[in-house]
Amino acid sequence: MTAPQQCFLMVDMRSYWLQGTGRGGGADYDLVADRDSDGLPVLRGRHLRGLLREASRQAHAFGWPDAPDPELFFGGRGENGHPGCVTVDDAMVAQELASEFIDPDSGDIRIDPAVLFRRVSSTAIHPETGSVLPKTLRTIEVATPLPLYSRLSWRPETRLTVCPGDRDRVESAASDWSSRIEAVLSLVDGIGAKRSRGMGQACLSVAGEAV
């Protein structure tokens, strides 16, 4: 049986997380969280694709038999890398939940922004005196835990245009591509920026459709 050409990746955030914009927020924030067109938290597909590629690479290194080929599925790195067969859309708040946040008439967020975003400050401490080091206070805006959904699509056409010799590999992977991705999701141990410092803890799973 041929696998569906699309599935959804559920990213169930379990802690504060940050998909930064690279921009500050004036005097209030050194870094602000990214938002979609409605002002809701969003996780960009390019970031997710990189995480899935790295998880696939690790699975191959561990010798997992059902791991997806990281380059075939998610493309190569850099400008000279070949395109992959899987496209990864931005992960967004599920429509059912988003409808509770957005006023249908004005299109504005109708809940307190503190429900979706929080202010987190940190500073550096002198290792010997325990006092705060000057000019080290940093304040960032983070998103609160909530479920996000990203659409994954099996689209090998561009890959085959660039790499026609990969046709046999593509056809071999087409029947179970989504289950191969699902097999390596446990290797994704953090999402977004500052995940090495405890942010971005999440549980990933593959679903047939978003809710």
Side-chain angles (χ1 to χ4, degrees), residues 7-193:
C7 64
F8 283 90
L9 177 67
M10 179 184 177
V11 183
D12 188 7
M13 303 304 304
R14 303 291 179 87
S15 67
Y16 289 154
W17 58 282
L18 173 62
Q19 170 79 75
T21 62
R23 302 186 301 272
D28 294 327
Y29 296 104
D30 294 287
L31 188 63
V32 295
D34 203 356
R35 292 163 166 78
D36 64 15
S37 59
D38 292 322
L40 301 178
V42 63
L43 187 62
R44 297 302 176 184
R46 61 181 178 274
H47 175 67
L48 278 175
R49 184 175 65 248
L51 293 175
L52 294 174
R53 182 195 296 116
E54 177 59 19
S56 301
R57 186 198 65 78
Q58 292 180 25
H60 267 277
F62 296 153
W64 292 13
D66 296 328
D69 182 306
E71 199 272 340
L72 180 69
F73 273 56
F74 304 109
R77 296 177 181 272
E79 296 180 356
N80 297 323
H82 294 148
C85 295
V86 178
T87 60
V88 183
D89 291 354
D90 294 345
M92 307 176 74
V93 177
Q95 187 61 42
E96 182 178 320
L97 185 57
S99 64
E100 299 294 324
F101 296 156
I102 304 297
D103 187 297
D105 297 322
S106 66
D108 297 330
I109 295 179
R110 60 184 178 186
I111 61 172
D112 186 343
V115 174
L116 299 173
F117 302 98
R118 295 290 172 85
R119 181 188 186 103
V120 174
S121 298
S122 61
T123 191
I125 303 297
H126 193 287
E128 296 179 359
T129 66
S131 60
V132 175
L133 293 175
K135 299 182 179 180
T136 61
L137 178 63
R138 297 290 182 268
T139 301
I140 61 174
E141 182 185 48
V142 299
T144 55
L146 77 174
L148 306 170
Y149 287 87
S150 168
R151 187 194 307 271
L152 307 183
S153 302
W154 180 258
R155 293 178 177 172
E157 296 83 8
T158 303
R159 173 75 183 200
L160 291 175
T161 299
V162 177
C163 306
D166 283 344
R167 181 168 298 277
D168 288 345
R169 296 169 63 207
V170 169
E171 291 179 352
S172 176
S175 62
D176 61 352
W177 66 274
S178 59
S179 61
R180 292 193 187 197
I181 293 175
E182 187 173 22
V184 302
L185 294 181
S186 62
L187 295 176
V188 179
D189 56 4
I191 301 287

